[in-house]
Amino acid sequence: MEMKRNMPSAVLLWIMVILMLPACSVKEDRGDCPGCIIFDFSGVDTDVMDSLYLSLTSADGFLFVDTVRAESFQDRYSVNVPRQGIDVNVNWGTDGLFKDGQGLLIPSGSQCPPVHMFSARLDADCEYCVCRPLPAKNYCRIMLHLVSDDAPAIIFALRVTGNVCGYDIAGQPAGGEFAYIPDLDAEGTCSIRVPRQRDNSLMLEIIEDGQVLRRFALGNIMAESGYDWSARNLEDIELTVNYSKTDVTFVADDWEKEFFFDITI
């Protein structure tokens, strides 16, 4: 990455690093001295993230949290930590759902927050280490557009279900129930934010009077349309759902899949 001209020279940078290290005399057992994690936030996209929530935890109960504002992203930021494994989480857009030392849990009935995340486990058994967090977009916004030639009025509800309910302390998808009923507008459009998936188990349900009329394998439909859950930054997707009394067609860009059945919606 090309450094900006107003950044300090390599020599000055190393002097800054040395000055920030925790002091410990030569005669002391250096294993008892704290380590130091130096954070470099200069690569964070300030057009998206105006601040970051920083959480450092360890197995023995160590906890450090702070909110780092965008105006400080170009500064070197250091934290003294125990000389052991440290779980680092740097998040934006969690809507208060991230719990230090645990991860992010989405309550049933809610959608995934618009979260950007960076998670790492650092070995801090050293005088210092450098961490350069680049939080990634860790949710997918599914835009659904419902159209119909048979019935202009929408008389049913939609529900998206899955088996990922958030993220663990390592930033990996956490198993658990996910269920969300989006609000359909007058044009039959809605959006649902879902977390990163481990498989294609997302389902789309059509509900009327509390009863599930039909279930569609939304995860498989997205996979067939080319969606990639392993991408570093998850893409959003738009699906047009053309429904009638006997069939439903899902359309994404130039791809489409049709289902035939004999029910009345």
Side-chain angles (χ1 to χ4, degrees):
M1 179 177 63
E2 182 180 355
M3 298 183 66
K4 296 183 178 180
R5 293 184 179 179
N6 61 352
M7 293 290 285
S9 68
V11 174
L12 290 178
L13 178 58
W14 279 111
I15 292 175
M16 293 169 60
V17 167
I18 293 172
L19 290 175
M20 287 189 290
L21 296 179
C24 205
S25 70
V26 175
K27 294 182 180 180
E28 289 180 282
D29 179 2
R30 301 189 69 84
D32 294 332
C33 297
C36 180
I37 301 178
I38 301 170
F39 289 92
D40 178 359
F41 297 109
S42 61
V44 176
D45 186 356
T46 55
D47 290 336
V48 176
M49 291 162 275
D50 58 359
S51 65
L52 292 172
Y53 180 76
L54 172 64
S55 173
L56 308 180
T57 57
S58 68
D60 69 352
F62 171 80
L63 172 64
F64 175 88
V65 298
D66 195 12
T67 298
V68 184
R69 304 294 178 185
E71 54 266 26
S72 300
F73 285 176
Q74 296 300 323
D75 300 333
R76 288 301 187 270
Y77 183 103
S78 65
V79 183
N80 290 346
V81 298
R83 290 197 174 201
Q84 57 184 280
I86 301 294
D87 289 308
V88 176
N89 283 274
V90 181
N91 305 319
W92 180 85
T94 64
D95 288 352
L97 295 179
F98 180 84
K99 303 301 181 184
D100 301 306
Q102 300 178 36
L104 188 154
L105 179 64
I106 304 168
S108 182
S110 298
Q111 61 181 328
C112 182
V115 60
H116 289 66
M117 300 179 66
F118 170 89
S119 301
R121 185 171 179 82
L122 299 183
D123 181 4
D125 189 14
C126 54
E127 290 192 9
Y128 75 93
C129 57
V130 177
C131 182
R132 298 179 175 86
L134 292 175
K137 181 174 176 289
N138 230 11
Y139 71 96
C140 167
R141 178 180 282 107
I142 303 172
M143 293 291 299
L144 293 176
H145 305 282
L146 276 66
V147 296
S148 174
D149 297 330
D150 292 346
I154 299 172
I155 58 175
F156 55 81
L158 300 179
R159 178 167 60 200
V160 173
T161 64
N163 59 18
V164 173
C165 66
Y167 297 95
D168 61 22
I169 193 63
Q172 297 301 309
E177 178 185 353
F178 176 90
Y180 180 68
I181 299 176
D183 293 325
L184 286 165
D185 64 19
E187 286 72 39
T189 298
C190 65
S191 70
I192 308 102
R193 293 190 304 265
V194 299
R196 187 181 298 271
Q197 300 293 297
R198 303 179 297 184
D199 52 30
N200 296 330
S201 58
L202 278 179
M203 301 296 295
L204 175 65
E205 299 175 342
I206 295 179
I207 303 172
E208 184 177 1
D209 295 329
Q211 301 295 318
V212 177
L213 298 181
R214 194 72 179 175
R215 302 180 80 230
F216 298 97
L218 181 59
N220 287 335
I221 291 170
M222 293 175 65
E224 290 183 31
S225 71
Y227 194 83
D228 181 11
W229 289 110
S230 66
R232 181 180 179 276
N233 290 288
L234 292 178
E235 297 285 342
D236 296 333
I237 185 172
E238 292 192 23
L239 289 172
T240 297
V241 185
N242 193 328
Y243 67 92
S244 71
K245 294 180 180 180
T246 57
D247 67 90
V248 170
T249 303
F250 291 82
V251 180
D253 294 331
D254 296 328
W255 174 93
E256 69 177 56
K257 185 176 182 64
E258 191 167 12
F259 297 85
F260 296 95
F261 46 87
D262 186 17
I263 65 171
T264 301
I265 298 180

